[in-house]
Amino acid sequence: MLNAILFDLDGTLVNTDSLHFDTWITALKPFGIEMDRPTYDQVISGKHNDDIVQDILSHLPLEEARKVAEEKERLFRQMGDKLNPINGLNQILEWADEQQLKQGVVTNAPRENAEFMLKTLDLWERFPVVIVANDAPKGKPDPALYQLALSRLEIESEGVLVFEDSPSGIRSAVGAGLYTIGIASTHPVESLLQAGAKQVIEDFTEAKLWETLALFTPV
């Protein structure tokens, strides 16, 4: 029986991928780094900023590299005032309320970004638990963030449904023992299935999602 539902943020509640791509291009340009889409998908998308800068800016001291990431996030918040939710988001949230499910957000985003995005979507007050990148020693793909969410919601892994859009996030949720559905807003379907997603949907309006949810719903 389902008792909780957890959402990633970027690419799951809101489609931010193109904006993140553009702001990373801007932030890395002073260092002579030309970021293309395949490289972005491989080394940036869905990952923790510390892991990103240690990979891309390994020639810099970590604190200096972190400042580059902080500038990138400032640019993101400056440019991201017109974010739109993933199709069907209100529908899935209303369903979760009807089922009286515990709900939370688990994201690799910095807290300032998470708060900014959720407030832009008018969702900041909605989720009792919002787990962000620095709340645990390791970010996704490590399962620590999801394990922390379970602890704060005071629930076990059984009966928890997760929505994630990246292979990194899916590996994190699956590593915590959670039933995970991929959203193909950012990455290819096959990569999400290979990471461990039980199924992959385009957005929350897809019929096969609601067929799956019906299996969780008591008659």
Side-chain angles (χ1 to χ4, degrees):
M1 180 176 174
L2 197 63
N3 54 46
I5 186 168
L6 299 174
F7 299 91
D8 174 47
L9 182 47
D10 286 286
T12 301
L13 296 182
V14 57
N15 200 338
T16 56
D17 187 61
S18 61
L19 185 56
H20 281 299
F21 180 49
D22 290 344
T23 49
W24 272 114
I25 288 175
T26 301
L28 294 172
K29 192 171 183 179
F31 300 91
I33 298 174
E34 297 290 336
M35 180 58 57
D36 58 29
R37 187 69 209 201
T39 304
Y40 172 84
D41 288 342
Q42 182 178 0
V43 304
I44 292 182
S45 183
K47 296 185 178 179
H48 190 288
N49 274 355
D50 274 3
D51 295 328
I52 293 169
V53 297
Q54 287 181 75
D55 189 359
I56 297 177
L57 299 171
S58 58
H59 60 289
L60 296 179
L62 180 56
E63 287 307 312
E64 187 175 343
R66 281 174 172 164
K67 290 180 181 178
V68 177
E70 289 171 4
E71 173 62 13
K72 177 265 165 188
E73 302 303 356
R74 186 192 68 79
L75 290 170
F76 171 83
R77 292 189 296 272
Q78 185 178 26
M79 297 170 62
D81 59 344
K82 295 183 179 179
L83 300 175
N84 293 311
I86 295 291
N87 287 341
L89 178 59
N90 285 340
Q91 185 179 358
I92 188 73
L93 293 177
E94 288 174 3
W95 177 85
D97 287 343
E98 290 169 0
Q99 303 305 312
Q100 299 182 341
L101 302 179
K102 293 185 177 182
Q103 299 170 52
V105 172
V106 181
T107 175
N108 258 353
R111 182 164 296 278
E112 284 184 302
N113 278 23
E115 182 173 350
F116 168 76
M117 285 184 279
L118 290 171
K119 285 183 175 178
T120 298
L121 296 174
D122 198 25
L123 295 175
W124 178 245
E125 302 294 335
R126 191 185 203 288
F127 295 102
V129 169
V130 177
I131 306 296
V132 300
N134 294 330
D135 284 342
K138 293 184 178 180
K140 304 171 187 179
D142 191 277
L145 291 177
Y146 276 103
Q147 291 167 342
L148 179 58
L150 296 180
S151 175
R152 290 191 181 175
L153 286 171
E154 300 181 336
I155 54 176
E156 301 295 328
S157 58
E158 186 177 355
V160 178
L161 174 62
V162 173
F163 290 99
E164 273 280 358
D165 76 301
S166 72
S168 174
I170 290 170
R171 286 194 292 271
S172 175
V174 171
L178 307 177
Y179 188 103
T180 307
I181 294 178
I183 296 185
S185 63
T186 311
H187 294 270
V189 171
E190 189 58 36
S191 70
L192 303 183
L193 292 172
Q194 289 176 353
K198 295 295 186 181
Q199 66 176 255
V200 178
I201 58 175
E202 292 297 322
D203 57 41
F204 297 113
T205 67
E206 196 157 329
K208 68 178 180 180
L209 167 64
W210 292 96
E211 292 170 2
T212 299
L213 295 180
L215 299 177
F216 289 112
T217 306
V219 177

